[in-house]
Amino acid sequence: MVDSPSQQGVEPAAPAAPRKRRAPRAAGLLLAVGVLLLVCTASIAIGAKPVPLGEVWHGLFHATGTGDDVIVADVRLPRTLLGLLVGVALGLAGAVMQALTRNPLAEPGLLGVNAGAAAAVVSAISFLGVTSVTGYVWFAFLGAAIVSTAVYLLGGSRGATPVRLALAGTAATAALYGYVNAVQLLDSAALDRLRFWTVGSLASADMSTVGKVWPFIAAGTLLALLIARPLNAMEMGDDTARALGARLTRTRVLAMVSVTLLCGAATAACGPIVFIGLMVPHLVRGITGPDMRWILPYAAVLSPVLLLGADVVGRVVARPSELQVGIVTALIGGPVFIQLVRRKRMAQL
Protein backbone atom coordinates (compact mmCIF):
# COMPACT_ATOMS: atom_id res chain seq x y z
CA MET A 1 0.00 0.00 0.00
CA VAL A 2 1.35 3.45 -0.92
CA ASP A 3 1.71 5.91 1.90
CA SER A 4 -0.28 9.13 1.74
CA PRO A 5 1.65 12.40 1.36
CA SER A 6 1.17 13.16 5.05
CA GLN A 7 2.52 9.72 6.04
CA GLN A 8 5.59 10.33 3.88
CA GLY A 9 6.27 13.59 5.70
CA VAL A 10 5.00 15.74 2.82
CA GLU A 11 2.31 18.31 3.65
CA PRO A 12 -0.74 18.15 1.38
CA ALA A 13 -1.12 21.12 -0.96
CA ALA A 14 -3.32 23.93 0.29
CA PRO A 15 -6.53 24.42 -1.67
CA ALA A 16 -6.12 27.01 -4.40
CA ALA A 17 -9.74 28.24 -4.44
CA PRO A 18 -9.49 30.61 -1.46
CA ARG A 19 -6.36 32.18 -2.97
CA LYS A 20 -8.16 32.67 -6.26
CA ARG A 21 -10.99 34.44 -4.44
CA ARG A 22 -8.64 36.61 -2.38
CA ALA A 23 -6.63 37.91 -5.33
CA PRO A 24 -9.49 39.78 -7.10
CA ARG A 25 -10.71 41.17 -3.77
CA ALA A 26 -7.25 42.46 -2.89
CA ALA A 27 -6.83 43.96 -6.37
CA GLY A 28 -10.23 45.61 -6.10
CA LEU A 29 -9.35 47.06 -2.70
CA LEU A 30 -6.12 48.53 -4.06
CA LEU A 31 -8.08 50.04 -6.95
CA ALA A 32 -10.56 51.55 -4.48
CA VAL A 33 -7.68 53.09 -2.51
CA GLY A 34 -6.40 54.65 -5.75
CA VAL A 35 -9.84 56.12 -6.46
CA LEU A 36 -9.96 57.49 -2.90
CA LEU A 37 -6.63 59.26 -3.41
CA LEU A 38 -7.95 60.86 -6.61
CA VAL A 39 -11.13 62.01 -4.86
CA CYS A 40 -9.10 63.47 -1.98
CA THR A 41 -7.01 65.41 -4.51
CA ALA A 42 -10.17 66.68 -6.20
CA SER A 43 -11.59 67.72 -2.83
CA ILE A 44 -8.55 69.91 -2.20
CA ALA A 45 -8.26 71.29 -5.74
CA ILE A 46 -11.91 71.91 -6.69
CA GLY A 47 -14.20 74.48 -5.17
CA ALA A 48 -15.59 77.96 -5.65
CA LYS A 49 -12.05 78.89 -6.73
CA PRO A 50 -10.21 76.15 -8.68
CA VAL A 51 -6.63 75.65 -7.47
CA PRO A 52 -4.01 74.21 -9.89
CA LEU A 53 -2.34 70.98 -8.78
CA GLY A 54 1.00 72.75 -8.48
CA GLU A 55 -0.52 75.21 -6.03
CA VAL A 56 -2.18 72.34 -4.15
CA TRP A 57 1.22 70.70 -3.67
CA HIS A 58 2.76 74.00 -2.59
CA GLY A 59 -0.06 74.70 -0.16
CA LEU A 60 0.23 71.26 1.43
CA PHE A 61 4.01 71.11 1.88
CA HIS A 62 5.37 74.64 1.48
CA ALA A 63 2.57 76.87 2.73
CA THR A 64 3.42 80.56 3.11
CA GLY A 65 0.11 81.68 4.63
CA THR A 66 -0.89 83.76 1.61
CA GLY A 67 -2.97 83.37 -1.55
CA ASP A 68 -4.02 79.86 -2.53
CA ASP A 69 -1.93 78.41 0.30
CA VAL A 70 -4.50 79.67 2.81
CA ILE A 71 -7.37 78.05 0.86
CA VAL A 72 -5.51 74.73 0.62
CA ALA A 73 -3.98 74.46 4.09
CA ASP A 74 -6.58 76.17 6.25
CA VAL A 75 -9.87 75.44 4.49
CA ARG A 76 -9.80 72.51 2.09
CA LEU A 77 -7.28 70.23 3.82
CA PRO A 78 -9.24 70.13 7.12
CA ARG A 79 -12.46 69.69 5.15
CA THR A 80 -11.00 66.77 3.20
CA LEU A 81 -9.53 65.12 6.30
CA LEU A 82 -12.83 65.42 8.16
CA GLY A 83 -14.71 64.03 5.15
CA LEU A 84 -12.28 61.12 5.03
CA LEU A 85 -12.75 60.34 8.72
CA VAL A 86 -16.53 60.73 8.66
CA GLY A 87 -16.83 58.59 5.53
CA VAL A 88 -14.81 55.78 7.12
CA ALA A 89 -16.90 56.01 10.28
CA LEU A 90 -20.29 55.93 8.52
CA GLY A 91 -19.33 53.08 6.20
CA LEU A 92 -18.02 50.88 9.00
CA ALA A 93 -20.91 51.74 11.31
CA GLY A 94 -23.43 50.82 8.63
CA ALA A 95 -21.74 47.51 7.85
CA VAL A 96 -21.55 46.57 11.54
CA MET A 97 -25.19 47.57 12.10
CA GLN A 98 -26.42 45.43 9.22
CA ALA A 99 -24.47 42.43 10.50
CA LEU A 100 -25.50 43.00 14.12
CA THR A 101 -29.22 43.29 13.39
CA ARG A 102 -29.22 40.97 10.36
CA ASN A 103 -31.25 43.70 8.69
CA PRO A 104 -30.30 44.91 5.19
CA LEU A 105 -32.16 48.18 5.87
CA ALA A 106 -30.14 48.96 9.00
CA GLU A 107 -28.10 52.15 9.05
CA PRO A 108 -25.99 53.90 11.71
CA GLY A 109 -28.92 55.84 13.18
CA LEU A 110 -30.99 52.72 13.91
CA LEU A 111 -29.74 52.52 17.51
CA GLY A 112 -30.75 56.12 18.17
CA VAL A 113 -27.21 57.45 17.83
CA ASN A 114 -28.13 60.36 15.55
CA ALA A 115 -31.17 61.24 17.65
CA GLY A 116 -29.13 61.15 20.86
CA ALA A 117 -26.49 63.42 19.35
CA ALA A 118 -29.11 65.87 18.06
CA ALA A 119 -30.89 65.97 21.44
CA ALA A 120 -27.63 66.69 23.25
CA VAL A 121 -26.64 69.43 20.79
CA VAL A 122 -30.00 71.21 20.92
CA SER A 123 -29.91 71.04 24.72
CA ALA A 124 -26.40 72.52 24.78
CA ILE A 125 -27.46 75.34 22.46
CA SER A 126 -30.73 76.18 24.16
CA PHE A 127 -29.87 75.71 27.83
CA LEU A 128 -26.08 76.14 28.04
CA GLY A 129 -25.46 78.71 25.31
CA VAL A 130 -22.93 76.64 23.35
CA THR A 131 -22.35 78.23 19.95
CA SER A 132 -19.20 76.69 18.41
CA VAL A 133 -18.92 73.55 16.32
CA THR A 134 -16.05 72.31 18.49
CA GLY A 135 -18.36 72.71 21.48
CA TYR A 136 -21.04 70.63 19.79
CA VAL A 137 -18.66 67.68 19.39
CA TRP A 138 -18.45 66.70 23.02
CA PHE A 139 -22.17 67.11 23.72
CA ALA A 140 -23.14 65.20 20.58
CA PHE A 141 -20.79 62.35 21.38
CA LEU A 142 -22.03 62.18 24.99
CA GLY A 143 -25.66 62.09 23.83
CA ALA A 144 -24.90 59.34 21.33
CA ALA A 145 -23.15 57.24 23.98
CA ILE A 146 -25.95 57.62 26.54
CA VAL A 147 -28.70 56.75 24.07
CA SER A 148 -26.83 53.72 22.68
CA THR A 149 -26.40 52.39 26.22
CA ALA A 150 -30.08 53.00 26.98
CA VAL A 151 -31.14 51.23 23.78
CA TYR A 152 -29.03 48.20 24.67
CA LEU A 153 -30.60 48.04 28.15
CA LEU A 154 -34.11 48.50 26.74
CA GLY A 155 -33.37 45.82 24.16
CA GLY A 156 -32.86 43.25 26.89
CA SER A 157 -29.17 43.60 27.78
CA ARG A 158 -27.85 40.02 27.89
CA GLY A 159 -31.02 38.78 26.20
CA ALA A 160 -30.83 41.38 23.44
CA THR A 161 -31.82 40.21 19.97
CA PRO A 162 -31.64 42.02 16.62
CA VAL A 163 -35.40 42.66 16.67
CA ARG A 164 -35.39 44.02 20.23
CA LEU A 165 -32.47 46.32 19.50
CA ALA A 166 -34.14 47.67 16.35
CA LEU A 167 -37.45 48.28 18.14
CA ALA A 168 -35.77 49.96 21.11
CA GLY A 169 -33.70 52.14 18.78
CA THR A 170 -36.75 53.16 16.74
CA ALA A 171 -38.71 54.08 19.89
CA ALA A 172 -35.80 56.11 21.30
CA THR A 173 -35.32 57.91 17.97
CA ALA A 174 -38.99 58.92 17.77
CA ALA A 175 -39.04 60.22 21.34
CA LEU A 176 -35.78 62.15 21.04
CA TYR A 177 -36.62 63.80 17.73
CA GLY A 178 -39.93 64.86 19.27
CA TYR A 179 -37.93 66.54 22.05
CA VAL A 180 -35.59 68.19 19.50
CA ASN A 181 -38.51 69.60 17.52
CA ALA A 182 -40.20 70.91 20.68
CA VAL A 183 -37.05 72.73 21.85
CA GLN A 184 -36.52 74.28 18.41
CA LEU A 185 -40.11 75.53 18.28
CA LEU A 186 -39.75 77.16 21.69
CA ASP A 187 -36.26 78.60 21.07
CA SER A 188 -35.74 80.31 17.72
CA ALA A 189 -32.01 80.80 18.44
CA ALA A 190 -31.58 77.05 18.83
CA LEU A 191 -33.43 76.53 15.54
CA ASP A 192 -31.16 78.99 13.70
CA ARG A 193 -27.96 77.45 15.04
CA LEU A 194 -29.00 73.84 14.62
CA ARG A 195 -30.49 73.94 11.13
CA PHE A 196 -27.16 73.73 9.26
CA TRP A 197 -25.85 71.02 11.58
CA THR A 198 -28.94 68.84 11.11
CA VAL A 199 -28.60 69.00 7.31
CA GLY A 200 -25.10 67.48 7.47
CA SER A 201 -22.18 69.60 6.36
CA LEU A 202 -18.38 69.66 6.10
CA ALA A 203 -18.30 73.42 5.55
CA SER A 204 -17.31 74.26 9.15
CA ALA A 205 -14.43 71.80 9.29
CA ASP A 206 -11.18 72.87 10.93
CA MET A 207 -8.16 71.08 12.31
CA SER A 208 -9.49 71.44 15.86
CA THR A 209 -12.58 69.39 15.00
CA VAL A 210 -10.44 66.82 13.17
CA GLY A 211 -8.21 66.52 16.22
CA LYS A 212 -11.18 65.94 18.52
CA VAL A 213 -12.91 63.21 16.53
CA TRP A 214 -10.09 61.14 15.02
CA PRO A 215 -9.19 59.21 18.23
CA PHE A 216 -12.80 58.04 18.61
CA ILE A 217 -13.04 57.03 14.96
CA ALA A 218 -9.69 55.24 15.12
CA ALA A 219 -10.80 53.28 18.20
CA GLY A 220 -14.15 52.39 16.63
CA THR A 221 -12.45 51.30 13.41
CA LEU A 222 -10.03 49.01 15.23
CA LEU A 223 -12.84 47.50 17.27
CA ALA A 224 -14.99 46.88 14.17
CA LEU A 225 -12.13 45.09 12.40
CA LEU A 226 -11.43 42.93 15.46
CA ILE A 227 -15.01 41.59 15.60
CA ALA A 228 -15.31 40.83 11.89
CA ARG A 229 -15.01 37.05 12.40
CA PRO A 230 -17.69 36.69 15.13
CA LEU A 231 -19.97 38.99 13.10
CA ASN A 232 -19.63 36.50 10.24
CA ALA A 233 -20.87 33.77 12.56
CA MET A 234 -23.75 35.89 13.89
CA GLU A 235 -25.07 36.53 10.39
CA MET A 236 -25.87 32.80 10.17
CA GLY A 237 -28.15 32.97 13.22
CA ASP A 238 -27.68 32.77 16.96
CA ASP A 239 -27.76 28.97 17.20
CA THR A 240 -25.21 28.51 14.45
CA ALA A 241 -23.02 31.25 15.92
CA ARG A 242 -23.03 29.54 19.32
CA ALA A 243 -22.17 26.23 17.69
CA LEU A 244 -19.20 27.94 16.03
CA GLY A 245 -18.00 29.25 19.37
CA ALA A 246 -19.06 32.90 19.01
CA ARG A 247 -19.80 34.74 22.25
CA LEU A 248 -23.00 36.53 21.30
CA THR A 249 -23.38 38.93 24.22
CA ARG A 250 -19.75 40.00 24.08
CA THR A 251 -19.89 40.50 20.32
CA ARG A 252 -23.11 42.56 20.50
CA VAL A 253 -21.69 44.79 23.23
CA LEU A 254 -18.46 45.36 21.31
CA ALA A 255 -20.42 46.02 18.10
CA MET A 256 -22.58 48.62 19.83
CA VAL A 257 -19.52 50.27 21.34
CA SER A 258 -17.93 50.38 17.89
CA VAL A 259 -21.06 51.89 16.28
CA THR A 260 -21.35 54.45 19.07
CA LEU A 261 -17.73 55.54 18.70
CA LEU A 262 -17.92 55.72 14.92
CA CYS A 263 -21.36 57.20 14.37
CA GLY A 264 -21.26 59.37 17.47
CA ALA A 265 -18.02 61.04 16.44
CA ALA A 266 -19.12 61.44 12.80
CA THR A 267 -22.50 62.90 13.74
CA ALA A 268 -20.93 65.18 16.31
CA ALA A 269 -18.49 66.59 13.77
CA CYS A 270 -20.81 67.38 10.88
CA GLY A 271 -24.37 66.39 11.75
CA PRO A 272 -26.38 63.39 10.57
CA ILE A 273 -25.50 62.41 6.98
CA VAL A 274 -27.90 59.88 5.51
CA PHE A 275 -27.64 56.99 3.06
CA ILE A 276 -23.86 56.46 3.13
CA GLY A 277 -23.94 53.93 5.96
CA LEU A 278 -26.96 52.28 4.36
CA MET A 279 -25.96 52.30 0.70
CA VAL A 280 -22.23 51.57 0.62
CA PRO A 281 -22.35 48.26 2.57
CA HIS A 282 -25.05 47.10 0.14
CA LEU A 283 -22.84 47.88 -2.84
CA VAL A 284 -19.81 46.32 -1.19
CA ARG A 285 -21.59 43.01 -0.57
CA GLY A 286 -22.13 42.71 -4.29
CA ILE A 287 -18.35 42.93 -4.75
CA THR A 288 -16.97 40.94 -1.82
CA GLY A 289 -19.74 38.54 -0.86
CA PRO A 290 -20.88 38.12 2.75
CA ASP A 291 -17.45 37.96 4.43
CA MET A 292 -17.17 40.81 6.95
CA ARG A 293 -13.37 40.59 6.84
CA TRP A 294 -13.60 42.05 3.34
CA ILE A 295 -16.80 44.08 3.67
CA LEU A 296 -15.35 46.27 6.41
CA PRO A 297 -12.15 47.34 4.58
CA TYR A 298 -14.05 47.97 1.36
CA ALA A 299 -16.70 50.01 3.19
CA ALA A 300 -13.98 52.00 4.96
CA VAL A 301 -12.47 52.98 1.59
CA LEU A 302 -15.54 53.45 -0.61
CA SER A 303 -17.65 55.41 1.89
CA PRO A 304 -15.28 58.42 1.97
CA VAL A 305 -15.12 58.21 -1.84
CA LEU A 306 -18.89 58.77 -1.94
CA LEU A 307 -18.90 61.41 0.80
CA LEU A 308 -16.03 63.49 -0.58
CA GLY A 309 -17.33 63.09 -4.12
CA ALA A 310 -20.74 64.38 -3.03
CA ASP A 311 -19.06 67.28 -1.23
CA VAL A 312 -17.17 68.25 -4.40
CA VAL A 313 -20.39 68.04 -6.44
CA GLY A 314 -22.15 70.28 -3.92
CA ARG A 315 -19.42 72.90 -4.25
CA VAL A 316 -19.48 72.88 -8.05
CA VAL A 317 -23.18 72.85 -8.91
CA ALA A 318 -24.12 75.86 -6.79
CA ARG A 319 -21.16 78.20 -7.34
CA PRO A 320 -20.39 80.65 -5.83
CA SER A 321 -22.46 79.17 -2.99
CA GLU A 322 -22.67 75.42 -2.24
CA LEU A 323 -25.07 72.60 -1.43
CA GLN A 324 -24.48 70.89 1.90
CA VAL A 325 -23.10 67.38 1.53
CA GLY A 326 -26.06 65.91 3.44
CA ILE A 327 -28.42 67.23 0.76
CA VAL A 328 -26.30 65.84 -2.07
CA THR A 329 -26.00 62.38 -0.52
CA ALA A 330 -29.77 62.29 -0.01
CA LEU A 331 -30.40 63.28 -3.64
CA ILE A 332 -27.97 60.62 -4.85
CA GLY A 333 -28.90 58.00 -2.30
CA GLY A 334 -32.66 58.00 -2.83
CA PRO A 335 -32.73 56.67 -6.42
CA VAL A 336 -29.80 54.33 -5.81
CA PHE A 337 -31.44 52.88 -2.71
CA ILE A 338 -34.70 52.28 -4.57
CA GLN A 339 -32.75 50.37 -7.21
CA LEU A 340 -30.99 48.31 -4.54
CA VAL A 341 -34.29 47.36 -2.90
CA ARG A 342 -35.68 46.25 -6.27
CA ARG A 343 -32.83 43.77 -6.75
CA LYS A 344 -33.90 40.48 -5.23
CA ARG A 345 -30.40 39.25 -4.51
CA MET A 346 -29.78 42.35 -2.34
CA ALA A 347 -33.01 41.92 -0.39
CA GLN A 348 -31.49 39.71 2.32
CA LEU A 349 -28.12 39.40 3.98
Side-chain angles (χ1 to χ4, degrees):
M1 187 172 90
V2 179
D3 291 337
S4 66
S6 59
Q7 291 173 324
Q8 295 176 359
V10 178
E11 291 293 332
R19 291 182 181 177
K20 290 181 180 179
R21 287 195 297 267
R22 283 197 297 266
R25 290 171 177 171
L29 187 58
L30 288 175
L31 179 61
V33 170
V35 173
L36 177 58
L37 293 175
L38 291 176
V39 173
C40 288
T41 303
S43 177
I44 297 175
I46 299 174
K49 179 183 179 182
V51 178
L53 290 180
E55 293 297 322
V56 170
W57 181 267
H58 189 274
L60 290 176
F61 300 103
H62 307 286
T64 60
T66 59
D68 289 339
D69 290 354
V70 175
I71 297 175
V72 171
D74 297 340
V75 179
R76 294 187 186 170
L77 178 61
R79 185 170 184 157
T80 300
L81 290 176
L82 186 62
L84 181 64
L85 289 171
V86 169
V88 169
L90 294 177
L92 288 175
V96 171
M97 278 298 305
Q98 291 177 12
L100 176 66
T101 62
R102 297 198 294 273
N103 180 359
L105 300 180
E107 50 90 27
L110 187 62
L111 291 181
V113 176
N114 289 347
V121 169
V122 77
S123 298
I125 292 172
S126 184
F127 304 126
L128 301 178
V130 177
T131 59
S132 67
V133 175
T134 54
Y136 297 164
V137 168
W138 297 109
F139 286 97
F141 186 78
L142 179 62
I146 292 173
V147 172
S148 294
T149 303
V151 165
Y152 182 70
L153 295 175
L154 289 172
S157 188
R158 290 184 176 274
T161 64
V163 174
R164 287 181 179 178
L165 289 174
L167 290 175
T170 301
T173 296
L176 289 169
Y177 273 128
Y179 165 78
V180 169
N181 292 331
V183 172
Q184 290 183 98
L185 288 173
L186 296 173
D187 187 346
S188 59
L191 174 61
D192 290 339
R193 292 172 187 163
L194 194 67
R195 58 180 177 172
F196 291 109
W197 184 84
T198 54
V199 169
S201 173
L202 298 173
S204 300
D206 56 34
M207 293 307 293
S208 175
T209 304
V210 172
K212 283 182 172 65
V213 301
W214 81 260
F216 297 108
I217 293 177
T221 298
L222 179 62
L223 191 55
L225 295 175
L226 288 175
I227 61 174
R229 192 180 295 272
L231 285 175
N232 275 342
M234 288 181 62
E235 285 190 338
M236 294 184 285
D238 289 358
D239 293 337
T240 302
R242 289 191 188 95
L244 293 173
R247 299 167 62 180
L248 300 186
T249 299
R250 176 176 177 270
T251 302
R252 286 191 178 115
V253 169
L254 293 178
M256 290 192 65
V257 170
S258 175
V259 170
T260 301
L261 289 170
L262 292 167
C263 195
T267 304
C270 56
I273 296 178
V274 298
F275 281 113
I276 289 180
L278 174 64
M279 188 166 51
V280 174
H282 266 301
L283 297 174
V284 166
R285 285 178 186 274
I287 300 171
T288 67
D291 192 342
M292 292 296 293
R293 292 172 297 178
W294 286 99
I295 290 173
L296 292 174
Y298 265 87
V301 174
L302 292 179
S303 293
V305 168
L306 176 58
L307 181 61
L308 289 173
D311 189 45
V312 171
V313 170
R315 286 184 246 169
V316 171
V317 298
R319 286 176 177 171
S321 184
E322 67 177 67
L323 287 177
Q324 306 301 321
V325 67
I327 297 174
V328 179
T329 57
L331 291 174
I332 295 173
V336 173
F337 178 66
I338 291 172
Q339 181 61 27
L340 288 173
V341 171
R342 289 170 59 87
R343 293 173 60 183
K344 291 183 179 180
R345 69 186 185 91
M346 301 294 283
Q348 296 180 349
L349 292 179

